Amino acid sequence: MSDPAWQIRPADWAGFAAVMGEKGGSGGCWCMLWRLRAKAFNAGKGAGNRDAMRAVFEAGEGPGLVAWAEGRAVGWVQIAPRAAFPRLAGSRVLAPVDDAPVWSVACLMIEKAWRRKGLSVALLEAACGFAAERGAQVVEGYPVAPADKKYAPVYAWTGLHAAFERAGFAEVARRSPTRPIMRRWM
């Protein structure tokens, strides 16, 4: 999905930090929840997690994509091989489905003014292209499928089921009523 109102490109630190805002995304996570074990993540909330993610950026290619509109960063999707997110392996609900070498969409954030405009779908499609260019054959996501339509966006930081469906993902497992595992094959 493309829209002349936005551009999606590989993330740099400035764009990523702008989307995260002063609080660092959801409660100081800085998108490190799945990259760190629980103890390290909780100890680093705020500045520690920010510094840890900055180190990920400094180690090489940015770990995702940023959407830009009107000269500012308005959306973010984190995409990397599942091995970059060791905490997923220990999740009862999001444990691996099989041995396939998947890439994972671990975070999807959209600035409030840009929600409900198709940007989530565009970021997911761009993330799949980004991963495919790097050899991925399967991209996996862990969205929420809320039972209540008034689901607070702050809790939808892994994306919403409907956006993943619109981006061509199919559900492959569901170990919790509200947390499907979805895949898109390249």
Side-chain angles (χ1 to χ4, degrees):
M1 174 177 289
S2 132
D3 187 308
W6 60 64
Q7 294 181 337
I8 298 172
R9 54 186 187 250
D12 60 14
W13 177 256
F16 166 75
V19 175
M20 291 296 107
E22 288 183 31
K23 294 182 180 180
S26 183
C29 71
W30 290 93
C31 284
M32 291 302 295
L33 177 72
W34 301 116
R35 288 180 176 272
L36 298 173
R37 297 291 179 198
K39 187 175 181 180
F41 173 79
N42 290 329
K45 276 196 176 177
N49 287 343
R50 180 195 62 224
D51 294 345
M53 181 54 91
R54 187 173 202 123
V56 171
F57 272 85
E58 290 173 354
E61 184 173 46
L65 305 168
V66 170
W68 294 84
E70 301 171 356
R72 58 192 176 87
V74 297
W76 153 257
V77 61
Q78 181 169 205
I79 177 87
R82 185 179 169 111
F85 308 110
R87 196 161 167 192
L88 282 172
S91 170
R92 182 181 50 79
V93 173
L94 304 177
V97 173
D98 54 29
D99 293 337
V102 303
W103 279 54
S104 296
V105 173
C107 181
L108 183 62
M109 289 187 62
I110 308 294
E111 183 182 287
K112 188 175 184 176
W114 287 89
R115 293 178 190 150
R116 300 185 181 270
K117 298 179 187 292
L119 185 52
S120 290
V121 175
L123 277 165
L124 288 168
E125 289 175 345
C128 288
F130 178 86
E133 289 170 3
R134 287 150 183 81
Q137 295 179 10
V138 181
V139 173
E140 191 171 83
Y142 319 100
V144 292
D148 184 356
K149 292 200 184 271
K150 295 182 180 180
Y151 196 78
V154 70
Y155 299 118
W157 51 268
T158 55
L160 292 169
H161 180 267
F164 277 80
E165 280 186 326
R166 285 193 298 276
F169 286 73
E171 186 171 325
V172 295
R174 188 183 291 233
R175 299 177 185 121
S176 162
T178 61
R179 293 303 297 264
I181 296 175
M182 300 184 76
R183 286 186 174 172
R184 180 170 153 179
W185 289 264
M186 303 298 114

